[in-house]
Amino acid sequence: EVQLLESGGGLVQPGGSLRLSCVASGFAFSSYAMSWVRQAPGKGLEWVSVISGNGGNTRYADSVKGRFTISRDNSKNTLFLQMNSLTAEDTAVFFCAKQKQWLKAVDYWGQGTLVTVSS
Amino acid sequence: SALTQPPSASGSPGQSVTISCTGSSSDVGGYSYVSWYQQHPGKAPKLVIYEVNKRPSGVPDRFSGSKSGNTASLTVSGLQVEDEADYYCSSYAGNDILCVFGTGTKVTVL
């Protein structure tokens, strides 16, 4: 059974940093691209970033480019999202997601972790 | 930019509802990689259709997808109470950029 368990969310002040983690199990982690998708309160879904199975390719939404960094540790089946220079507009539930194929469908989602940026 | 979906759709139990997802030749119209996700309140999204019209294992055949030009559609036939949820489309848009999501449609079962 595929499981994705996010952690690291919480309350952070504007301008602060946070690192999200996602531990994966139930599939060959290093063989699949992984993504972070976020959803602001009461809003729709927004793709944040994606990383290839070997970590060699990444993509970012324009809204986070230069502030967020996606990475992965395939030896620990773990996906990360380092978030810097956070603003109130980054307040959202962040979902860890397993890609079915690079830049295409997501076939499994984590339950999400809430990031709140507020003073 | 986001794909365009109607904000809401509704139908009675047993009826069908169809949701549209309009993009451009750079995304929906240019590739056969449209996906649809169902999201119940407070829950993670769930994949119900991928590659325009393919259903993942375990998704009822009441869910079907199609595409014509720059518009993709999701049809839910034989509506059931548990189908009441938000639905989002998504499309591949080329190797250089992330996929784009639709604006979302709230389906209400009357």
Side-chain angles (χ1 to χ4, degrees):
Chain A
E1 179 192 7
V2 172
Q3 292 193 351
L4 301 170
L5 185 60
E6 304 98 334
S7 61
L11 176 63
V12 61
Q13 292 189 337
S17 297
L18 214 54
R19 189 192 200 202
L20 304 184
S21 299
C22 170
V23 177
S25 61
F27 65 101
F29 182 71
S30 63
S31 296
Y32 291 92
M34 297 291 295
S35 287
W36 289 99
V37 176
R38 69 182 178 182
Q39 187 170 35
K43 302 297 184 182
L45 300 171
E46 179 189 16
W47 234 295
V48 174
S49 185
V50 62
I51 186 168
S52 61
N54 64 9
N57 284 304
T58 59
R59 299 287 188 272
Y60 296 92
D62 287 343
S63 58
V64 307
K65 206 170 290 184
R67 300 187 300 122
F68 290 11
T69 301
I70 192 170
S71 62
R72 62 192 297 160
D73 183 341
N74 285 344
S75 70
K76 297 182 179 179
N77 286 2
T78 303
L79 175 72
F80 302 100
L81 186 68
Q82 177 66 44
M83 304 185 294
N84 299 329
S85 303
L86 287 161
T87 72
E89 285 67 45
D90 296 314
T91 294
V93 174
F94 283 73
F95 295 101
C96 169
K98 172 186 171 292
Q99 298 280 156
K100 197 169 175 59
Q101 285 178 273
W102 173 248
L103 293 180
K104 300 182 177 78
V106 165
D107 53 0
Y108 291 96
W109 300 74
Q111 284 306 299
T113 186
L114 176 62
V115 172
T116 303
V117 184
S118 175
S119 55
Chain B
S1 56
L3 307 176
T4 301
Q5 298 180 233
S8 62
S10 63
S12 299
Q15 291 186 330
S16 295
V17 65
T18 297
I19 305 165
S20 61
C21 169
T22 302
S24 70
S25 58
S26 298
D27 37 62
V28 175
Y31 308 96
S32 294
Y33 292 109
V34 176
S35 306
W36 288 90
Y37 302 91
Q38 176 193 64
Q39 187 181 33
H40 290 108
K43 300 295 187 181
K46 173 188 173 184
L47 180 67
V48 293
I49 292 288
Y50 67 100
E51 293 178 15
V52 177
N53 56 16
K54 297 180 180 178
R55 277 180 291 105
S57 174
V59 173
D61 60 6
R62 302 184 293 103
F63 291 85
S64 62
S66 63
K67 191 186 81 162
S68 178
N70 296 338
T71 298
S73 298
L74 172 72
T75 298
V76 185
S77 305
L79 268 174
Q80 298 184 4
V81 173
E82 58 263 35
D83 299 332
E84 185 163 293
D86 293 325
Y87 291 83
Y88 295 91
C89 63
S90 177
S91 175
Y92 178 72
N95 194 49
D96 290 335
I97 62 175
L98 292 173
C99 285
V100 58
F101 279 111
T103 49
T105 299
K106 181 174 181 59
V107 169
T108 301
V109 181
L110 302 171

